Amino acid sequence: MPNNKLDHIAFILDGNKRWAKKNNVSLREAYKEGLININNLLGDCLDFKLKYLTLFTLSSENIKRKSVSNIFEVIYNDFSFFFEKIINEKLVKVRVIGSRDNLPKKIVSLIKYCEEKTINNKVLNLNLAFNYGFKNEVQSVLKKLLNNSRIDINNQREIKELFFLGNLPDPDILIRTGGDRRLSNFIMYNLIYTEIFFIDTLWPDFNKKELINIKNSYKKISRRYGL
C-alpha cells in the first residue's frame, strides 16, 4: 500500500473573479479574501511540516488585464502586513519567481525587502510565481545557455538549476482551484511526474479540510515515474 511522502505542493490559485461575482463584492475585496486564504494555507502547511510551497499568484498574461491595478493595490496595502507577519515569525523563506519588468517600483521594492528579510528562514520555503509564464522562463533558460558555454547540457542537475525553482524537489502535487483543467503556462518543466488535482472550489473558499482530503488521496497513489 503506497504511503507517499509529501514535501512540495504547488497551487494555481484560480477563481477570485468568479468568487467576487458569486458573493456580490468588488474584485478588490475578492483579491483581499484570496490573500487571507494564502495566509490560512501557510498556517496549514506549517502544521503539516511541509517543506516547499509554490503558488501561482499572477501570470504574465494576467498583468495585461485592466483589473491588474486592483491586484497591485491589494499587494501594496495588504500584502505588506502579510509579509511583515512572515518576517516576524521567522519560519517562512520567501522567494518570488517571474519577471520584475513592468512592475511598479514599490512592488519590486516590497518583494526585494521580503526576500532579504526571510533569506535565513528554513522551516517552509514559499515560492511566489508573480508576473510569471513558463514560456518566458524558457526564454530565460535559453539566454543563460547562450551566455555560459560551460554549462553541461548532459548534466541534469546543471540543466535544472537554469530554471527558476533551481534544484528544489519538483512538486509532488499540483492543486488548481476554480474548476478549469489546464496548466496555464505554469512551471511545466517541474511538473512532469507531479500528481494533479483539479477542483471546482474557488480559491477564496478553499480550506484545510479539502487540503487534508487531497493529501490523503495523494498518499494512496501508486507513483511509477514512467517505469
Side-chain angles (χ1 to χ4, degrees):
M1 185 73 176
N3 187 21
N4 299 312
K5 188 178 180 182
L6 182 58
D7 287 325
H8 190 172
I9 300 177
F11 270 87
I12 298 176
L13 311 178
D14 197 15
N16 289 302
K17 289 181 72 174
R18 282 167 285 164
W19 189 91
K21 186 175 181 179
K22 174 185 172 183
N23 291 277
N24 195 29
V25 298
S26 69
L27 186 54
R28 187 187 184 283
E29 188 63 31
Y31 286 135
K32 190 172 181 179
E33 285 298 317
L35 171 60
I36 291 170
N37 213 23
I38 290 176
N39 189 54
N40 294 338
L41 177 64
L42 275 182
D44 296 338
C45 290
L46 287 168
D47 287 344
F48 296 151
K49 294 180 168 50
L50 192 76
K51 294 179 180 177
Y52 307 97
L53 178 64
T54 300
L55 307 180
F56 200 2
T57 56
L58 181 71
S59 75
S60 52
E61 289 81 18
N62 291 158
I63 205 168
K64 299 171 186 175
R65 292 178 179 172
K66 293 180 180 178
S67 61
V68 75
S69 59
N70 289 296
I71 299 174
F72 290 151
E73 186 179 352
V74 168
I75 289 170
Y76 196 70
N77 293 335
D78 300 299
F79 229 74
S80 299
F81 297 103
F82 170 71
F83 278 158
E84 286 297 336
K85 181 175 181 291
I86 288 175
I87 290 166
N88 292 334
E89 289 175 347
K90 299 182 179 179
L91 298 172
V92 179
K93 179 179 180 179
V94 175
R95 185 158 65 107
V96 178
I97 61 173
S99 174
R100 300 186 188 185
D101 297 338
N102 304 319
L103 294 179
K105 288 183 179 180
K106 63 182 183 180
I107 300 296
V108 174
S109 296
L110 180 61
I111 290 169
K112 185 178 179 182
Y113 170 75
C114 192
E115 287 181 327
E116 290 175 350
K117 290 294 184 180
T118 64
I119 194 168
N120 294 317
N121 297 346
K122 298 179 180 179
V123 178
L124 174 63
N125 290 271
L126 173 62
N127 306 296
L128 297 173
F130 190 81
N131 192 18
Y132 170 88
F134 181 67
K135 289 183 178 180
N136 294 339
E137 183 177 7
V138 169
Q139 287 180 328
S140 172
V141 169
L142 293 175
K143 287 178 182 177
K144 291 175 186 176
L145 284 170
L146 288 172
N147 293 329
N148 189 348
S149 60
R150 292 176 296 177
I151 294 172
D152 182 1
I153 61 172
N154 295 310
N155 185 315
Q156 289 298 315
R157 181 176 180 84
E158 287 190 25
I159 293 299
K160 192 173 183 184
E161 284 178 347
L162 297 172
F163 289 83
F164 291 161
L165 291 181
N167 268 304
L168 295 183
D170 290 339
D172 300 300
I173 64 176
L174 167 70
I175 301 169
R176 178 170 185 149
T177 61
D180 288 335
R181 283 152 172 77
R182 55 178 178 265
L183 297 180
S184 296
N185 202 16
F186 183 48
I187 59 169
M188 288 189 279
Y189 180 83
N190 302 94
L191 298 178
I192 52 174
Y193 289 116
T194 298
E195 305 298 335
I196 301 176
F197 294 83
F198 296 116
I199 63 173
D200 292 331
T201 306
L202 304 177
W203 167 244
D205 289 329
F206 184 81
N207 57 45
K208 187 174 185 177
K209 182 179 179 181
E210 287 184 281
L211 183 59
I212 291 172
N213 288 339
I214 291 171
K215 184 169 173 277
N216 291 337
S217 296
Y218 163 76
K219 285 187 174 182
K220 299 174 184 177
I221 294 173
S222 177
R223 306 192 75 193
R224 296 185 293 275
Y225 301 96
L227 300 175

